[in-house]
Amino acid sequence: AQTVTQSQPEMSVQEAETVTLSCTYDTSESNYYLFWYKQPPSRQMILVIRQEAYKQQNATENRFSVNFQKAAKSFSLKISDSQLGDTAMYFCALSAGANSKLTFGKGITLSVRP
Amino acid sequence: NAGVTQTPKFRILKIGQSMTLQCTQDMNHNYMYWYRQDPGMGLKLIYYSVGAGITDKGEVPNGYNVSRSTTEDFPLRLELAAPSQTSVYFCASTMTGNQPQHFGDGTRLSIL
């Protein structure tokens, strides 16, 4: 079985500053994928970034980057130059094993202050 | 491309009623999924399908049924609605396991 843990229920950051959202996971699979999804108040699920476990290089998408520590089973998301539009709930998710089923963490509510 | 389309967006049911949540995708994806999201929580998998004619249970399947007669459609049926099924329901699809899932906009369901 897979588990994903997001222990911080909420965070707040000043506009233009940097914030890091934490996530740890557990799986017995050797091949897996990790994702961060953003859910704004509109309720849509929007992919932020994806990391393939077999790649050592951390994924980057514009202002979003991850710190993937495979041995520690840690997958944190760093948001640089935070913008008001980044205010949302963020979910860490793991896809491992057959059938591409996603296991989600409980999410973290991020508020960006003007 | 419409992506993943869910209908309806909102619905209120009475206890014991039944209904079907519709999900269709136009990306020719093999894999489709139904999740529920309770307030302040992450998504939990209800059922999934790896192709037409093939379905399997997820983490929280009790009280639900699905079918997959075509690649495009994956409806979710509630037979006897219960208050515990009040939630937001998301349908998602993907082509393969190494690709992200595409989500619909969700259906907010209240059972009173």
Side-chain angles (χ1 to χ4, degrees):
Chain A
Q2 283 76 237
T3 60
V4 176
T5 302
Q6 294 178 254
S7 56
Q8 307 156 302
E10 53 186 77
M11 290 189 73
S12 179
V13 65
Q14 195 75 31
E15 193 176 9
E17 293 189 344
T18 295
V19 63
T20 299
L21 311 182
S22 301
C23 173
T24 58
Y25 64 93
D26 192 25
T27 179
S28 57
E29 300 285 342
S30 58
N31 188 24
Y32 54 91
Y33 302 87
L34 293 157
F35 305 88
W36 279 97
Y37 280 90
K38 171 185 177 181
Q39 188 179 44
S42 65
R43 205 174 65 200
Q44 290 178 299
M45 292 291 289
I46 302 167
L47 176 71
V48 175
I49 202 163
R50 173 178 67 128
Q51 176 76 43
E52 298 162 6
Y54 63 86
K55 287 190 176 179
Q56 292 187 342
Q57 187 174 6
N58 289 324
T60 300
E61 287 286 345
N62 300 315
R63 298 183 295 108
F64 299 89
S65 61
V66 298
N67 183 5
F68 175 46
Q69 301 290 327
K70 192 171 184 177
K73 295 185 177 178
S74 171
F75 183 60
S76 60
L77 175 69
K78 185 171 83 171
I79 305 174
S80 304
D81 185 26
S82 297
Q83 300 176 0
L84 297 178
D86 295 334
T87 292
M89 199 153 185
Y90 287 81
F91 293 97
C92 179
L94 165 68
S95 175
N99 304 325
S100 311
K101 294 180 287 183
L102 277 176
T103 300
F104 284 86
K106 290 185 178 181
I108 178 171
T109 300
L110 176 67
S111 300
V112 180
R113 306 186 305 273
Chain B
N1 271 352
V4 178
T5 302
Q6 290 184 236
T7 56
K9 294 190 183 304
F10 304 95
R11 183 74 184 268
I12 298 175
L13 283 182
K14 294 182 178 178
I15 295 171
Q17 286 185 322
S18 61
M19 79 162 293
T20 299
L21 281 65
Q22 301 291 344
C23 175
T24 187
Q25 51 91 9
D26 61 359
M27 298 171 282
N28 202 32
H29 286 170
N30 293 320
Y31 297 78
M32 295 188 74
Y33 309 84
W34 274 106
Y35 297 91
R36 60 177 286 173
Q37 183 181 22
D38 297 327
M41 301 292 287
L43 281 67
K44 292 187 177 180
L45 182 65
I46 305 171
Y47 269 96
Y48 66 98
S49 168
V50 301
I54 305 170
T55 62
D56 207 348
K57 296 177 180 179
E59 183 183 355
V60 288
N62 290 344
Y64 306 95
N65 279 301
V66 293
S67 60
R68 184 94 182 271
S69 56
T70 66
T71 299
E72 295 79 19
D73 300 308
F74 189 42
L76 177 72
R77 182 149 181 92
L78 284 70
E79 291 293 350
L80 289 171
S84 61
Q85 293 176 305
T86 292
S87 191
V88 178
Y89 291 84
F90 286 95
C91 179
S93 72
T94 187
M95 178 58 78
T96 62
N98 63 354
Q99 297 299 316
Q101 292 184 15
H102 297 254
F103 285 82
D105 290 341
T107 295
R108 182 177 295 278
L109 180 63
S110 296
I111 298 162
L112 307 175

